[in-house]
Amino acid sequence: METSNIIVQKFSGVTVGSAKRMRKVLQLIKNSNNNSDLIIVMSAISPKKKIHGTTSKLIQATKELLVKKATHSFEILNEIEENHINILNKLITDNEELRLETEKRIKEECNALREFLKALEIIKEITPKSSDTILSTGEKLVGIVFTAYMKNEGIDTELIDLEKLITDVYDDSLIDTNFYLKTLVPKLSEIFSNCKAKVPLVTGFIGSFPLGILETIGRGYSDFTASLVSLAVNAKEVQIYKNISGIYSADPLVVEKAYVLPYITPEEASELVFYGLKTINPLCMDIARNQKIRIKSINNPDNPGTLIGPCSDEYKNVKSTVVLIKKDVLIYNINCRKGSVAHGTMKKVFDTFNKFGIQLDLVSTSQMNLSIALSNDVDKLDLVTTELKNIGKVSIRPHMAILSVVGRSLKSQVGFAGRIFTALADNNINIHMISQGQSEINISCVINQESKALALKCVYDLIYTDEEKKE
Ligand SMILES: Nc1ncnc2c1ncn2[C@@H]1O[C@H](COP(=O)(O)OP(=O)(O)O)[C@@H](O)[C@H]1O
Ligand SMILES: N[C@@H](CC(=O)OP(=O)(O)O)C(=O)O
């Protein structure tokens, strides 16, 4: 199918976190609209950091509903409501009718949620579907405020609420790539072909999943929505606007010399998100192999940022190695009772972690030990240990970090892993586990968390001098 002239612009919560930032976003939309057709996807407002944003507050309100009283969750909701009305009041100052009508819609949305929370308190049960309904409010509210603002600024827009996009799906096993591509994408195509507005605004929340949107898609779900929308309209590209200019060669807060990579492949992006990069939702890579996704900064929109997409000749020789640290990891070690790690043992161990929904980051085996690196904030690790007690003696080593080097250029560098480990050893950094996938675009190892900054800097220096020498 031929690519359309549409660009999907997705704005993350922090980029629309205040009236000032919304003005910036509006200007950007106006400028882009001169050259392309646009569809806007917007995430719930995050004042500064995502952990203090609307979605995080709604998650807190949901969790506290059954532990504390609904009145406590109402306080959280009052704060959210007030914040949206304050922003609206700053944005629409010259059209009282529109301002009042929009304020009414915000209040209606929040009142509906209050009624819903009261009902949940009475039935004392929160299902994934109800928790999704609560979360959807964040994206609805930002949509209500921003479409009113766009209208007031003369942009022909319409709010498209995707809360009800998924219907009659009660079984999680039905949610797979096929479901996204064959069910959701055609539904979205139909919605857009019926939409008359010049610049539609779509809620980043895409509907209730049997296990809940956070379990199925994860935080940053609006990136995924933007990818589906892009497939539905065959867009030229998806632009994901953030506070940061793109994907850097290393964390710019730790490595001063780090720079924004112009291009990475979807495979590299998948590895990076797996090893802790939060810049893009991981599922986008699964459905968007042939799409162009560009991470850009709201503060510097003329900068092309980082493109993730098919590797054309233009990008073949572009450097794209990233050194990444995933902190707050632990090593879970099982010293097997039978004296060796049999394949039945591995099955039991992996099945048990899977049963409790725990993601494993790195695995290594020796004759008697099975070592697994995983995030230290997982619930239910003690339940796993109880189930595995017949397999062997479990010991846990906390305060670890995973250092990963990701890049397609690693494939051609014989002896590269050896040089990384030598550089770490020269800096007195102990390596607890090592892993290299068959794809050879990723080398990872587990180190003590306290050495993370030193490890990042010394491996970065090694890689970037090595890559420079190759050129
Ligand atoms: N290689 C990397 N590229 C970009 N950001 C990185 C990288 N490694 C670590 N980070 C950190 O990830 C964070 C980016 O956060 P993100 O959630 O993408 O942005 P936003 O807050 O705009 O949503 C930054 O704080 C940055 O320091
Ligand atoms: N609001 C959701 C979805 C999202 O995509 O957020 P953001 O664009 O701010 O990463 C979240 O906080 O997870």
Side-chain angles (χ1 to χ4, degrees), residues 16-191:
V16 288
S18 65
K20 192 171 162 199
R21 276 175 265 160
M22 280 197 183
R23 283 191 198 105
K24 213 184 238 184
V25 167
L26 187 102
Q27 197 49 51
L28 197 155
I29 292 173
K30 276 186 173 169
N31 295 346
S32 322
N33 201 18
N34 292 335
N35 309 317
S36 302
D37 296 331
L38 299 179
I39 297 178
I40 311 299
V41 179
M42 210 163 262
S43 298
I45 287 173
S46 285
K48 272 203 180 90
K49 293 203 157 170
K50 219 168 144 168
I51 43 162
H52 304 128
T54 312
T55 305
S56 300
K57 283 189 176 149
L58 290 170
I59 293 173
Q60 191 195 346
T62 313
K63 280 189 183 152
E64 291 185 355
L65 184 65
L66 298 186
V67 187
K68 301 184 179 174
K69 289 210 109 6
T71 43
H72 187 81
S73 304
F74 287 173
E75 281 170 27
I76 298 176
L77 186 55
N78 294 347
E79 225 183 284
I80 293 174
E81 184 180 53
E82 211 176 293
N83 187 32
H84 285 81
I85 294 178
N86 280 341
I87 291 179
L88 171 73
N89 290 345
K90 288 184 188 152
L91 293 177
I92 302 182
T93 50
D94 53 354
N95 185 342
E96 191 57 3
E97 196 186 336
L98 179 63
R99 195 196 64 74
L100 281 175
E101 184 196 309
T102 314
E103 183 176 318
K104 190 167 154 242
R105 284 188 68 193
I106 295 173
K107 286 185 172 162
E108 278 167 4
E109 208 53 65
C110 292
N111 283 339
L113 184 54
R114 282 186 188 95
E115 291 304 315
F116 190 62
L117 291 174
K118 261 194 248 164
L120 292 179
E121 190 189 29
I122 293 166
I123 60 171
K124 293 193 173 23
E125 191 193 5
I126 302 176
T127 61
K129 207 172 162 62
S130 357
S131 134
D132 278 354
T133 303
I134 300 172
L135 281 190
S136 70
T137 308
E139 272 75 22
K140 273 188 210 167
L141 290 175
V142 72
I144 291 171
V145 173
F146 205 83
T147 39
Y149 178 43
M150 278 164 86
K151 277 182 188 160
N152 199 42
E153 294 289 320
I155 299 176
D156 175 19
T157 185
E158 183 187 316
L159 177 59
I160 300 181
D161 183 356
L162 297 181
E163 194 204 346
K164 303 267 181 307
L165 189 73
I166 301 172
T167 45
D168 307 327
V169 182
Y170 301 103
D171 182 355
D172 178 58
S173 66
L174 300 173
I175 305 274
D176 55 10
T177 311
N178 211 28
F179 170 74
Y180 299 130
L181 300 181
K182 301 271 162 58
T183 307
L184 294 191
V185 168
K187 275 191 180 188
L188 285 166
S189 296
E190 202 187 324
I191 290 175

Side-chain angles (χ1 to χ4, degrees), residues 10-14 43-44 46 50 55 139 219-223:
K10 183 242 147 165
F11 294 95
S12 74
V14 280
S43 298
S46 285
K50 219 168 144 168
T55 305
E139 272 75 22
R219 290 299 298 266
Y221 45 77
S222 311
D223 293 345

Side-chain angles (χ1 to χ4, degrees), residues 197-208:
K198 196 159 180 318
V199 187
L201 190 153
V202 182
T203 56
F205 183 90
I206 203 168
S208 299

Side-chain angles (χ1 to χ4, degrees), residues 12 14 242-244 246-248 250-253 277-279 322 324:
S12 74
V14 280
K242 301 192 135 272
N243 256 350
I244 191 151
I247 296 177
Y248 281 73
D251 188 342
L253 298 179
L277 189 76
K278 295 202 171 64
T279 307
V322 179
L324 196 70

Side-chain angles (χ1 to χ4, degrees), residues 267-287:
E267 290 75 18
E268 289 165 333
S270 286
E271 293 285 346
L272 289 170
V273 290
F274 183 79
Y275 285 107
L277 189 76
K278 295 202 171 64
T279 307
I280 185 162
N281 179 284
L283 274 192
C284 289
M285 298 311 125
D286 287 354
I287 61 147

